[in-house]
Structure formats: C-alpha cells, structure tokens
Amino acid sequence: MQMLTTATEQNSAWYRVARTFSALARRTLNALLPVECAVCRTSLTDDPIPFFCRRCWSAIEPFSGPSCPRCHQPFPSAVSLLHSPAHLCGTCRKTKPAYTEAWSPYPYVPPLQEAIRLFKYGGKVTLADALADLLIRVLPETPATDLVMPVPLHPTRLREREFNQSLLLADRLNRRLGFLLSFTNLVRVRSTEAQTRLRRSARLKNLRRAFQVRRPEEVAGKRVLLVDDVWTTGTTINECAKALRKAGAGDVFALTLARAVSPDLLSARMVPNLSSPAPISN
C-alpha cells in the first residue's frame, strides 16, 4: 500500500529543494559580485546565510536559564524559580497580560540585531528563511493552535515598507510546520508613532485601540498564535491579544524572534566580540 505524504512533509520537501537552488544561486552571485558580511565585513563565498558569514551567524544563541512563566522575561538569577516555579515577573504581576503565554527565544543583540535591521528596514527579505529557521530551531512546545496571525502594519506603513516582516516570518513558519495562516483578519486601524521612540507609558497610550478584528466569527473560541519580529515592552503583542480576546478568541499565544533586554541580563557568551556592523545599504 502506497503511503501518503502529509501536507507538512510535502511543504518541507519543496522547501528543501528551493533552499538548495537558492544556495547555489547565492554562491554563484557571490563569486561574480563579491558581498561582505554585514558584521565583520569578510567576503562571503559559500556561506549559507545571505549577508552573513558562518562565524557571525553561528554566534547567535538563544536565552538560557529561568524566565517568567507567562511572558518569559529572563530572570537575572539562575535560582529565581527554584522554590517558586510559577513566580511571575513584576510586570505580569502588576497587570495581567491579555495573552496566555509569550516566547522570545533570542536576545536582541548583534549579530541578530543587525540581521533584523537589514530585514526590516533595509528590505533584505531574503533573510526571512534564515530568521524563521532560528525560530524553528528553538520553537517552544506551544499548545496546539488553530490560527497563526502576524502582527499587522497600518496600510500607510505597509505602503512605505512594501512588506510586513511579521507576515514573512509567519508565512515561513506556515510552510515548514503546516500552521493555518490568517493575515487579513487582524488589522491595524490607527497609524501610530514608532514604538522605539517612546517611553513605556507613552507606548501604552500610543497603541490603545490600534488593532481590530474584522471577522470575529473566524476567531471565536480559537487558539491563536501571534508572530512578530522584536519584543520591546510587549505592548504591541498585548494590544493585539486584547483585540482578539474582545472578538471572542480563546487562548492567545505569542512568538517573537528577539527580545530587547538590559545588558546586565546578558552573559558574555550571548554578546559575541564582533566588529561594528556595516551600514545598511539597499
């Protein structure tokens, strides 16, 4: 009896073939038009990741040690949860988040920081596969989800950038893992100032009621996984989760690639001694 291949296995097979051709094409282009690593500036040859050499890319390491059971903010002490495994961080204790649980596996430091900047602001969308691979490599054992949704951009910002980086990441996760992707239901209805320029209190006001669910019946009772690139304070994810819960969604989980944290929480192992990043060029 011929065994049937699942949709996920088929997606993975096509993905591997596409990646092989992509690597061959990149190797040829690097030989004809030399490209430097965005971090250490060495010339790239057969390096598998666009714009980064093997040495710099291999320096990207995930967090280790205890973290808040809800938002997974890393705790400074290795014994933080030894006697109280359910101990929440101060932020989650002060105000219960709208999401059920959120993961950000990597610290937002070079070289990953430079990769995200190139991807998000430099238009280097060929990095989407490599960045999604980083997520898949350390994907937490998340409860089964019904829908995967990228954090949306306002139409004005989308026209400026021409792509939504969170959608590209969510799409790669969908291709590899067979998630059901929904990217037109959760929308951003207010154009807001960039969160990176604001203090925490201003960020909360900036994003209030900025998100809306167009078709509540599609999320009613569903478990949703939100996908984004960088977690700064968690305000964006929490506001998206509020909109989804208001529309009747069940558990809302979140997965972001990197988390901005204070330097004192990072070990020397997480912050590689690399040269200054090269400037972004389109």
Side-chain angles (χ1 to χ4, degrees), residues 171-236:
D171 175 63
R172 270 38 175 207
L173 292 177
N174 171 56
R175 292 186 194 181
R176 297 287 298 278
L177 304 174
F179 290 147
L180 182 58
L181 181 63
S182 172
F183 58 92
T184 61
N185 198 359
L186 178 65
V187 295
R188 202 167 191 143
V189 293
R190 282 201 306 112
S191 181
T192 57
E193 187 176 348
Q195 289 287 92
T196 53
R197 304 170 186 168
L198 305 174
R199 295 181 180 273
R200 180 176 177 82
S201 58
R203 289 178 179 183
L204 294 173
K205 295 179 181 178
N206 187 47
L207 287 178
R208 195 167 294 161
R209 293 185 292 278
F211 301 96
Q212 193 174 88
V213 176
R214 284 175 168 172
R215 301 176 296 279
E217 68 278 3
E218 292 183 9
V219 301
K222 300 291 181 64
R223 294 162 297 186
V224 179
L225 176 65
L226 288 166
V227 175
D228 203 3
D229 55 342
V230 178
W231 175 292
T232 305
T233 64
T235 304
T236 301

Short mmCIF file of all heavy atoms in Angstrom, two decimals, residues 171-236:
data_model
loop_
_atom_site.label_atom_id
_atom_site.label_comp_id
_atom_site.label_asym_id
_atom_site.label_seq_id
_atom_site.Cartn_x
_atom_site.Cartn_y
_atom_site.Cartn_z
N ASP A 171 4.64 33.32 7.49
CA ASP A 171 4.50 32.53 6.27
C ASP A 171 5.52 31.40 6.23
O ASP A 171 5.20 30.26 5.85
CB ASP A 171 4.65 33.43 5.05
CG ASP A 171 4.63 32.65 3.75
OD1 ASP A 171 3.60 32.04 3.45
OD2 ASP A 171 5.66 32.65 3.04
N ARG A 172 6.76 31.69 6.63
CA ARG A 172 7.80 30.64 6.65
C ARG A 172 7.48 29.58 7.68
O ARG A 172 7.68 28.39 7.45
CB ARG A 172 9.16 31.26 6.95
CG ARG A 172 9.99 31.73 5.77
CD ARG A 172 9.21 32.37 4.68
NE ARG A 172 10.03 32.91 3.61
CZ ARG A 172 9.65 33.93 2.85
NH1 ARG A 172 8.48 34.52 3.07
NH2 ARG A 172 10.41 34.35 1.86
N LEU A 173 6.96 29.99 8.83
CA LEU A 173 6.54 29.01 9.83
C LEU A 173 5.42 28.14 9.28
O LEU A 173 5.39 26.92 9.49
CB LEU A 173 6.08 29.72 11.10
CG LEU A 173 7.14 30.45 11.92
CD1 LEU A 173 6.50 31.17 13.09
CD2 LEU A 173 8.21 29.49 12.41
N ASN A 174 4.49 28.76 8.57
CA ASN A 174 3.38 28.03 7.98
C ASN A 174 3.88 27.01 6.96
O ASN A 174 3.42 25.85 6.93
CB ASN A 174 2.42 29.02 7.32
CG ASN A 174 1.34 28.33 6.50
OD1 ASN A 174 0.61 27.50 6.99
ND2 ASN A 174 1.26 28.68 5.21
N ARG A 175 4.82 27.40 6.12
CA ARG A 175 5.34 26.50 5.10
C ARG A 175 6.05 25.30 5.71
O ARG A 175 5.95 24.17 5.20
CB ARG A 175 6.33 27.24 4.20
CG ARG A 175 5.73 28.32 3.33
CD ARG A 175 6.79 28.86 2.38
NE ARG A 175 6.38 30.09 1.75
CZ ARG A 175 7.14 30.75 0.87
NH1 ARG A 175 8.32 30.26 0.54
NH2 ARG A 175 6.72 31.89 0.34
N ARG A 176 6.80 25.53 6.77
CA ARG A 176 7.58 24.46 7.37
C ARG A 176 6.76 23.58 8.30
O ARG A 176 7.00 22.37 8.38
CB ARG A 176 8.75 25.07 8.15
CG ARG A 176 9.74 25.84 7.31
CD ARG A 176 10.61 24.93 6.47
NE ARG A 176 11.41 24.05 7.29
CZ ARG A 176 12.56 24.41 7.85
NH1 ARG A 176 13.03 25.65 7.67
NH2 ARG A 176 13.24 23.56 8.58
N LEU A 177 5.83 24.18 9.03
CA LEU A 177 5.14 23.44 10.08
C LEU A 177 3.66 23.20 9.82
O LEU A 177 3.00 22.53 10.60
CB LEU A 177 5.31 24.20 11.40
CG LEU A 177 6.77 24.47 11.82
CD1 LEU A 177 6.81 25.34 13.06
CD2 LEU A 177 7.51 23.17 12.06
N GLY A 178 3.14 23.75 8.73
CA GLY A 178 1.76 23.47 8.36
C GLY A 178 0.73 24.20 9.20
O GLY A 178 -0.40 23.74 9.34
N PHE A 179 1.09 25.36 9.75
CA PHE A 179 0.11 26.15 10.51
C PHE A 179 -0.94 26.72 9.56
O PHE A 179 -0.70 26.92 8.38
CB PHE A 179 0.81 27.31 11.22
CG PHE A 179 1.69 26.90 12.36
CD1 PHE A 179 2.83 27.62 12.66
CD2 PHE A 179 1.38 25.82 13.16
CE1 PHE A 179 3.64 27.27 13.72
CE2 PHE A 179 2.18 25.44 14.23
CZ PHE A 179 3.31 26.17 14.50
N LEU A 180 -2.12 27.00 10.10
CA LEU A 180 -3.16 27.69 9.34
C LEU A 180 -2.94 29.19 9.50
O LEU A 180 -3.08 29.74 10.59
CB LEU A 180 -4.55 27.29 9.84
CG LEU A 180 -5.74 27.91 9.09
CD1 LEU A 180 -5.69 27.54 7.61
CD2 LEU A 180 -7.05 27.46 9.70
N LEU A 181 -2.57 29.85 8.42
CA LEU A 181 -2.19 31.26 8.46
C LEU A 181 -3.37 32.16 8.15
O LEU A 181 -4.08 31.96 7.17
CB LEU A 181 -1.06 31.51 7.45
CG LEU A 181 -0.49 32.93 7.36
CD1 LEU A 181 0.16 33.34 8.67
CD2 LEU A 181 0.52 33.00 6.21
N SER A 182 -3.58 33.17 8.99
CA SER A 182 -4.63 34.18 8.78
C SER A 182 -3.97 35.55 8.86
O SER A 182 -3.44 35.92 9.91
CB SER A 182 -5.72 34.04 9.85
OG SER A 182 -6.64 35.12 9.78
N PHE A 183 -4.01 36.32 7.77
CA PHE A 183 -3.28 37.59 7.78
C PHE A 183 -4.11 38.79 7.32
O PHE A 183 -3.56 39.88 7.11
CB PHE A 183 -2.01 37.50 6.92
CG PHE A 183 -2.24 37.12 5.49
CD1 PHE A 183 -2.41 38.09 4.53
CD2 PHE A 183 -2.28 35.79 5.11
CE1 PHE A 183 -2.62 37.75 3.20
CE2 PHE A 183 -2.48 35.43 3.79
CZ PHE A 183 -2.66 36.41 2.83
N THR A 184 -5.42 38.63 7.15
CA THR A 184 -6.26 39.77 6.76
C THR A 184 -7.34 40.09 7.79
O THR A 184 -8.07 41.05 7.61
CB THR A 184 -6.94 39.51 5.40
OG1 THR A 184 -7.79 38.36 5.49
CG2 THR A 184 -5.90 39.29 4.30
N ASN A 185 -7.42 39.30 8.84
CA ASN A 185 -8.50 39.49 9.81
C ASN A 185 -8.11 40.47 10.90
O ASN A 185 -8.86 41.40 11.21
CB ASN A 185 -8.89 38.13 10.41
CG ASN A 185 -10.25 38.18 11.08
OD1 ASN A 185 -10.90 39.21 11.11
ND2 ASN A 185 -10.68 37.05 11.62
N LEU A 186 -6.95 40.28 11.50
CA LEU A 186 -6.45 41.21 12.50
C LEU A 186 -5.79 42.39 11.77
O LEU A 186 -4.85 42.19 11.01
CB LEU A 186 -5.44 40.52 13.41
CG LEU A 186 -4.79 41.40 14.49
CD1 LEU A 186 -5.83 41.88 15.51
CD2 LEU A 186 -3.67 40.63 15.21
N VAL A 187 -6.32 43.60 11.97
CA VAL A 187 -5.82 44.76 11.23
C VAL A 187 -5.46 45.89 12.20
O VAL A 187 -5.95 45.95 13.33
CB VAL A 187 -6.86 45.27 10.21
CG1 VAL A 187 -7.09 44.24 9.13
CG2 VAL A 187 -8.17 45.64 10.90
N ARG A 188 -4.61 46.76 11.70
CA ARG A 188 -4.21 47.95 12.46
C ARG A 188 -5.05 49.11 11.92
O ARG A 188 -4.93 49.48 10.75
CB ARG A 188 -2.73 48.23 12.26
CG ARG A 188 -2.10 49.07 13.34
CD ARG A 188 -0.59 48.99 13.22
NE ARG A 188 0.09 49.56 14.35
CZ ARG A 188 1.21 49.07 14.88
NH1 ARG A 188 1.73 47.98 14.37
NH2 ARG A 188 1.79 49.66 15.90
N VAL A 189 -5.89 49.69 12.77
CA VAL A 189 -6.83 50.70 12.30
C VAL A 189 -6.36 52.12 12.58
O VAL A 189 -6.96 53.08 12.10
CB VAL A 189 -8.23 50.48 12.94
CG1 VAL A 189 -8.83 49.17 12.44
CG2 VAL A 189 -8.15 50.48 14.47
N ARG A 190 -5.31 52.26 13.38
CA ARG A 190 -4.76 53.59 13.65
C ARG A 190 -3.29 53.61 13.29
O ARG A 190 -2.54 52.71 13.64
CB ARG A 190 -4.92 53.97 15.13
CG ARG A 190 -6.29 54.40 15.52
CD ARG A 190 -6.27 55.23 16.82
NE ARG A 190 -5.61 54.57 17.92
CZ ARG A 190 -4.46 54.99 18.44
NH1 ARG A 190 -3.81 56.02 17.93
NH2 ARG A 190 -3.92 54.33 19.46
N SER A 191 -2.87 54.66 12.60
CA SER A 191 -1.46 54.85 12.31
C SER A 191 -0.81 55.47 13.54
O SER A 191 -1.21 56.55 13.99
CB SER A 191 -1.28 55.77 11.10
OG SER A 191 0.09 55.94 10.81
N THR A 192 0.16 54.78 14.10
CA THR A 192 0.77 55.23 15.35
C THR A 192 2.25 55.55 15.16
O THR A 192 2.88 55.11 14.20
CB THR A 192 0.64 54.13 16.42
OG1 THR A 192 1.24 52.93 15.93
CG2 THR A 192 -0.82 53.87 16.75
N GLU A 193 2.77 56.31 16.10
CA GLU A 193 4.19 56.64 16.09
C GLU A 193 4.99 55.38 16.37
O GLU A 193 4.53 54.48 17.08
CB GLU A 193 4.49 57.70 17.15
CG GLU A 193 5.91 58.24 17.10
CD GLU A 193 6.13 59.35 18.11
OE1 GLU A 193 5.14 59.84 18.68
OE2 GLU A 193 7.30 59.73 18.33
N ALA A 194 6.21 55.29 15.83
CA ALA A 194 7.06 54.13 16.06
C ALA A 194 7.30 53.94 17.56
O ALA A 194 7.67 54.89 18.26
CB ALA A 194 8.38 54.29 15.33
N GLN A 195 7.10 52.71 18.05
CA GLN A 195 7.22 52.41 19.47
C GLN A 195 8.63 52.63 20.00
O GLN A 195 8.82 52.97 21.17
CB GLN A 195 6.81 50.96 19.72
CG GLN A 195 5.32 50.72 19.56
CD GLN A 195 4.51 51.30 20.71
OE1 GLN A 195 4.06 52.45 20.63
NE2 GLN A 195 4.33 50.53 21.74
N THR A 196 9.63 52.46 19.16
CA THR A 196 11.01 52.56 19.60
C THR A 196 11.37 53.97 20.08
O THR A 196 12.35 54.15 20.80
CB THR A 196 11.97 52.16 18.47
OG1 THR A 196 11.67 52.92 17.29
CG2 THR A 196 11.82 50.68 18.15
N ARG A 197 10.58 54.96 19.69
CA ARG A 197 10.89 56.34 20.07
C ARG A 197 10.22 56.76 21.38
O ARG A 197 10.40 57.89 21.85
CB ARG A 197 10.43 57.29 18.97
CG ARG A 197 11.02 56.99 17.59
CD ARG A 197 10.32 57.82 16.53
NE ARG A 197 10.76 57.46 15.18
CZ ARG A 197 10.16 57.85 14.08
NH1 ARG A 197 9.09 58.61 14.15
NH2 ARG A 197 10.61 57.48 12.89
N LEU A 198 9.42 55.89 21.96
CA LEU A 198 8.58 56.27 23.10
C LEU A 198 8.98 55.56 24.38
O LEU A 198 9.51 54.46 24.37
CB LEU A 198 7.11 55.95 22.79
CG LEU A 198 6.53 56.55 21.51
CD1 LEU A 198 5.13 56.02 21.28
CD2 LEU A 198 6.51 58.08 21.60
N ARG A 199 8.67 56.22 25.51
CA ARG A 199 8.82 55.58 26.81
C ARG A 199 7.68 54.60 27.01
O ARG A 199 6.70 54.61 26.28
CB ARG A 199 8.81 56.63 27.92
CG ARG A 199 10.00 57.59 27.87
CD ARG A 199 9.92 58.59 29.02
NE ARG A 199 11.04 59.52 28.99
CZ ARG A 199 12.21 59.27 29.57
NH1 ARG A 199 12.39 58.12 30.22
NH2 ARG A 199 13.18 60.15 29.51
N ARG A 200 7.80 53.74 28.03
CA ARG A 200 6.81 52.68 28.23
C ARG A 200 5.40 53.25 28.39
O ARG A 200 4.45 52.75 27.79
CB ARG A 200 7.18 51.83 29.44
CG ARG A 200 6.18 50.72 29.70
CD ARG A 200 6.58 49.81 30.84
NE ARG A 200 5.56 48.83 31.06
CZ ARG A 200 5.42 47.70 30.39
NH1 ARG A 200 6.25 47.43 29.41
NH2 ARG A 200 4.45 46.85 30.65
N SER A 201 5.23 54.28 29.22
CA SER A 201 3.90 54.83 29.46
C SER A 201 3.30 55.40 28.18
O SER A 201 2.11 55.25 27.91
CB SER A 201 3.96 55.93 30.53
OG SER A 201 4.86 56.97 30.14
N ALA A 202 4.15 56.04 27.35
CA ALA A 202 3.68 56.60 26.09
C ALA A 202 3.33 55.49 25.10
O ALA A 202 2.41 55.63 24.29
CB ALA A 202 4.74 57.52 25.50
N ARG A 203 4.04 54.38 25.18
CA ARG A 203 3.76 53.26 24.28
C ARG A 203 2.37 52.69 24.56
O ARG A 203 1.65 52.30 23.64
CB ARG A 203 4.82 52.16 24.46
CG ARG A 203 6.18 52.55 23.90
CD ARG A 203 7.20 51.48 24.15
NE ARG A 203 8.49 51.86 23.59
CZ ARG A 203 9.56 51.10 23.60
NH1 ARG A 203 9.50 49.90 24.13
NH2 ARG A 203 10.69 51.52 23.07
N LEU A 204 2.01 52.63 25.82
CA LEU A 204 0.70 52.09 26.18
C LEU A 204 -0.42 52.94 25.58
O LEU A 204 -1.40 52.43 25.04
CB LEU A 204 0.57 52.03 27.70
CG LEU A 204 1.51 51.05 28.41
CD1 LEU A 204 1.40 51.22 29.92
CD2 LEU A 204 1.21 49.61 28.02
N LYS A 205 -0.25 54.27 25.67
CA LYS A 205 -1.26 55.17 25.11
C LYS A 205 -1.23 55.15 23.58
O LYS A 205 -2.25 55.25 22.92
CB LYS A 205 -1.02 56.60 25.62
CG LYS A 205 -1.22 56.77 27.12
CD LYS A 205 -0.94 58.20 27.54
CE LYS A 205 -1.11 58.38 29.04
NZ LYS A 205 -0.79 59.76 29.48
N ASN A 206 -0.02 55.03 23.03
CA ASN A 206 0.16 55.09 21.59
C ASN A 206 -0.61 53.99 20.85
O ASN A 206 -1.16 54.21 19.76
CB ASN A 206 1.66 54.98 21.27
CG ASN A 206 1.97 55.20 19.80
OD1 ASN A 206 1.48 56.14 19.19
ND2 ASN A 206 2.80 54.34 19.24
N LEU A 207 -0.67 52.80 21.45
CA LEU A 207 -1.27 51.65 20.76
C LEU A 207 -2.68 51.32 21.24
O LEU A 207 -3.27 50.34 20.78
CB LEU A 207 -0.38 50.41 20.94
CG LEU A 207 0.92 50.42 20.14
CD1 LEU A 207 1.74 49.18 20.45
CD2 LEU A 207 0.65 50.50 18.64
N ARG A 208 -3.20 52.11 22.13
CA ARG A 208 -4.53 51.82 22.66
C ARG A 208 -5.57 51.82 21.54
O ARG A 208 -5.68 52.76 20.77
CB ARG A 208 -4.90 52.85 23.74
CG ARG A 208 -6.08 52.44 24.60
CD ARG A 208 -6.16 53.35 25.80
NE ARG A 208 -5.01 53.17 26.70
CZ ARG A 208 -4.64 54.06 27.60
NH1 ARG A 208 -5.29 55.20 27.73
NH2 ARG A 208 -3.60 53.81 28.38
N ARG A 209 -6.31 50.72 21.43
CA ARG A 209 -7.36 50.54 20.42
C ARG A 209 -6.82 50.73 18.99
O ARG A 209 -7.53 51.21 18.11
CB ARG A 209 -8.54 51.48 20.68
CG ARG A 209 -9.30 51.15 21.95
CD ARG A 209 -10.52 52.02 22.12
NE ARG A 209 -10.17 53.41 22.38
CZ ARG A 209 -9.86 53.88 23.58
NH1 ARG A 209 -9.85 53.08 24.63
NH2 ARG A 209 -9.56 55.14 23.76
N ALA A 210 -5.57 50.35 18.78
CA ALA A 210 -4.98 50.46 17.44
C ALA A 210 -5.26 49.25 16.58
O ALA A 210 -5.07 49.30 15.36
CB ALA A 210 -3.46 50.67 17.56
N PHE A 211 -5.74 48.15 17.20
CA PHE A 211 -5.97 46.91 16.45
C PHE A 211 -7.44 46.50 16.51
O PHE A 211 -8.14 46.79 17.48
CB PHE A 211 -5.09 45.79 17.00
CG PHE A 211 -3.62 46.10 16.93
CD1 PHE A 211 -2.95 46.61 18.04
CD2 PHE A 211 -2.90 45.88 15.77
CE1 PHE A 211 -1.60 46.90 17.98
CE2 PHE A 211 -1.55 46.16 15.69
CZ PHE A 211 -0.89 46.69 16.81
N GLN A 212 -7.86 45.80 15.48
CA GLN A 212 -9.27 45.41 15.38
C GLN A 212 -9.37 44.09 14.60
O GLN A 212 -8.56 43.83 13.71
CB GLN A 212 -10.06 46.51 14.67
CG GLN A 212 -11.56 46.40 14.75
CD GLN A 212 -12.21 47.64 14.14
OE1 GLN A 212 -12.46 47.69 12.93
NE2 GLN A 212 -12.45 48.66 14.95
N VAL A 213 -10.38 43.30 14.95
CA VAL A 213 -10.64 42.05 14.24
C VAL A 213 -11.81 42.27 13.29
O VAL A 213 -12.90 42.64 13.73
CB VAL A 213 -10.94 40.90 15.22
CG1 VAL A 213 -11.32 39.63 14.46
CG2 VAL A 213 -9.74 40.65 16.13
N ARG A 214 -11.60 42.07 12.01
CA ARG A 214 -12.64 42.33 11.01
C ARG A 214 -13.77 41.31 11.06
O ARG A 214 -14.94 41.66 10.94
CB ARG A 214 -12.02 42.29 9.61
CG ARG A 214 -11.21 43.52 9.23
CD ARG A 214 -10.57 43.28 7.87
NE ARG A 214 -10.00 44.50 7.31
CZ ARG A 214 -9.25 44.53 6.21
NH1 ARG A 214 -8.97 43.39 5.57
NH2 ARG A 214 -8.77 45.67 5.75
N ARG A 215 -13.42 40.04 11.23
CA ARG A 215 -14.41 38.96 11.19
C ARG A 215 -14.33 38.16 12.48
O ARG A 215 -13.65 37.10 12.52
CB ARG A 215 -14.16 38.07 9.96
CG ARG A 215 -14.24 38.83 8.64
CD ARG A 215 -13.90 37.96 7.45
NE ARG A 215 -12.52 37.49 7.48
CZ ARG A 215 -11.47 38.21 7.08
NH1 ARG A 215 -11.64 39.44 6.62
NH2 ARG A 215 -10.26 37.71 7.15
N PRO A 216 -14.98 38.63 13.54
CA PRO A 216 -14.89 37.97 14.85
C PRO A 216 -15.28 36.50 14.82
O PRO A 216 -14.73 35.69 15.59
CB PRO A 216 -15.86 38.79 15.72
CG PRO A 216 -15.94 40.12 15.06
CD PRO A 216 -15.83 39.84 13.60
N GLU A 217 -16.20 36.14 13.94
CA GLU A 217 -16.66 34.74 13.91
C GLU A 217 -15.54 33.77 13.54
O GLU A 217 -15.59 32.59 13.89
CB GLU A 217 -17.83 34.59 12.93
CG GLU A 217 -17.51 34.76 11.46
CD GLU A 217 -17.45 36.23 11.01
OE1 GLU A 217 -17.61 37.12 11.87
OE2 GLU A 217 -17.26 36.47 9.80
N GLU A 218 -14.50 34.27 12.86
CA GLU A 218 -13.41 33.39 12.45
C GLU A 218 -12.44 33.09 13.58
O GLU A 218 -11.64 32.14 13.48
CB GLU A 218 -12.65 34.01 11.27
CG GLU A 218 -13.47 34.08 9.99
CD GLU A 218 -12.68 34.62 8.82
OE1 GLU A 218 -11.45 34.78 8.96
OE2 GLU A 218 -13.28 34.89 7.76
N VAL A 219 -12.45 33.90 14.64
CA VAL A 219 -11.54 33.66 15.76
C VAL A 219 -12.28 33.22 17.02
O VAL A 219 -11.64 32.85 18.01
CB VAL A 219 -10.71 34.93 16.09
CG1 VAL A 219 -9.90 35.37 14.88
CG2 VAL A 219 -11.59 36.06 16.59
N ALA A 220 -13.60 33.24 16.99
CA ALA A 220 -14.39 32.89 18.18
C ALA A 220 -14.03 31.49 18.68
O ALA A 220 -14.13 30.51 17.94
CB ALA A 220 -15.88 32.98 17.87
N GLY A 221 -13.56 31.42 19.91
CA GLY A 221 -13.21 30.15 20.52
C GLY A 221 -11.92 29.53 20.02
O GLY A 221 -11.54 28.44 20.46
N LYS A 222 -11.21 30.20 19.11
CA LYS A 222 -9.98 29.65 18.53
C LYS A 222 -8.75 30.01 19.37
O LYS A 222 -8.69 31.06 20.01
CB LYS A 222 -9.78 30.19 17.10
CG LYS A 222 -10.92 29.86 16.14
CD LYS A 222 -10.95 28.38 15.82
CE LYS A 222 -12.06 28.04 14.85
NZ LYS A 222 -11.91 28.64 13.53
N ARG A 223 -7.77 29.12 19.32
CA ARG A 223 -6.47 29.38 19.95
C ARG A 223 -5.56 30.01 18.90
O ARG A 223 -5.33 29.42 17.84
CB ARG A 223 -5.88 28.09 20.48
CG ARG A 223 -6.68 27.48 21.63
CD ARG A 223 -6.34 26.02 21.84
NE ARG A 223 -6.69 25.24 20.64
CZ ARG A 223 -6.61 23.92 20.59
NH1 ARG A 223 -6.21 23.24 21.64
NH2 ARG A 223 -6.93 23.28 19.48
N VAL A 224 -5.05 31.18 19.20
CA VAL A 224 -4.32 31.98 18.21
C VAL A 224 -2.85 32.13 18.62
O VAL A 224 -2.55 32.36 19.81
CB VAL A 224 -4.96 33.38 18.05
CG1 VAL A 224 -4.18 34.22 17.03
CG2 VAL A 224 -6.42 33.25 17.62
N LEU A 225 -1.96 32.01 17.65
CA LEU A 225 -0.54 32.28 17.87
C LEU A 225 -0.16 33.53 17.09
O LEU A 225 -0.25 33.56 15.86
CB LEU A 225 0.32 31.10 17.39
CG LEU A 225 1.84 31.30 17.48
CD1 LEU A 225 2.28 31.45 18.94
CD2 LEU A 225 2.59 30.16 16.81
N LEU A 226 0.23 34.59 17.80
CA LEU A 226 0.69 35.83 17.18
C LEU A 226 2.19 35.72 16.88
O LEU A 226 2.95 35.17 17.68
CB LEU A 226 0.45 37.01 18.12
CG LEU A 226 -0.99 37.46 18.31
CD1 LEU A 226 -1.09 38.39 19.52
CD2 LEU A 226 -1.51 38.17 17.06
N VAL A 227 2.62 36.27 15.74
CA VAL A 227 4.03 36.24 15.35
C VAL A 227 4.50 37.67 15.08
O VAL A 227 3.83 38.43 14.38
CB VAL A 227 4.24 35.37 14.10
CG1 VAL A 227 5.69 35.44 13.63
CG2 VAL A 227 3.83 33.92 14.37
N ASP A 228 5.67 38.01 15.64
CA ASP A 228 6.26 39.33 15.41
C ASP A 228 7.77 39.18 15.41
O ASP A 228 8.31 38.11 15.72
CB ASP A 228 5.80 40.32 16.48
CG ASP A 228 5.89 41.77 16.02
OD1 ASP A 228 6.24 42.00 14.85
OD2 ASP A 228 5.62 42.68 16.83
N ASP A 229 8.48 40.27 15.06
CA ASP A 229 9.93 40.18 14.98
C ASP A 229 10.63 40.50 16.30
O ASP A 229 11.48 39.74 16.75
CB ASP A 229 10.47 41.08 13.85
CG ASP A 229 10.03 42.52 14.00
OD1 ASP A 229 9.06 42.80 14.73
OD2 ASP A 229 10.65 43.39 13.35
N VAL A 230 10.29 41.63 16.92
CA VAL A 230 11.01 42.05 18.13
C VAL A 230 10.03 42.39 19.25
O VAL A 230 9.02 43.07 19.03
CB VAL A 230 11.92 43.28 17.85
CG1 VAL A 230 12.62 43.73 19.12
CG2 VAL A 230 12.94 42.94 16.77
N TRP A 231 10.35 41.92 20.43
CA TRP A 231 9.60 42.25 21.66
C TRP A 231 10.39 43.31 22.40
O TRP A 231 11.54 43.10 22.78
CB TRP A 231 9.47 40.99 22.51
CG TRP A 231 8.83 41.15 23.85
CD1 TRP A 231 9.34 41.82 24.92
CD2 TRP A 231 7.57 40.62 24.27
NE1 TRP A 231 8.49 41.74 25.99
CE2 TRP A 231 7.39 41.00 25.62
CE3 TRP A 231 6.60 39.85 23.65
CZ2 TRP A 231 6.27 40.64 26.35
CZ3 TRP A 231 5.48 39.49 24.38
CH2 TRP A 231 5.32 39.89 25.70
N THR A 232 9.78 44.47 22.59
CA THR A 232 10.45 45.52 23.34
C THR A 232 9.87 45.60 24.75
O THR A 232 10.54 45.26 25.72
CB THR A 232 10.32 46.89 22.63
OG1 THR A 232 10.81 46.75 21.29
CG2 THR A 232 11.15 47.95 23.33
N THR A 233 8.62 46.01 24.87
CA THR A 233 7.95 46.00 26.17
C THR A 233 6.77 45.03 26.20
O THR A 233 6.19 44.80 27.25
CB THR A 233 7.43 47.41 26.52
OG1 THR A 233 6.43 47.80 25.56
CG2 THR A 233 8.56 48.43 26.53
N GLY A 234 6.40 44.51 25.04
CA GLY A 234 5.25 43.61 24.98
C GLY A 234 3.93 44.33 24.73
O GLY A 234 2.88 43.69 24.65
N THR A 235 3.97 45.65 24.60
CA THR A 235 2.75 46.42 24.42
C THR A 235 2.02 46.05 23.13
O THR A 235 0.79 45.88 23.13
CB THR A 235 3.07 47.93 24.42
OG1 THR A 235 3.76 48.27 25.62
CG2 THR A 235 1.80 48.75 24.33
N THR A 236 2.76 45.93 22.04
CA THR A 236 2.13 45.61 20.76
C THR A 236 1.41 44.26 20.82
O THR A 236 0.25 44.14 20.43
CB THR A 236 3.17 45.59 19.63
OG1 THR A 236 3.80 46.88 19.56
CG2 THR A 236 2.53 45.28 18.30
#
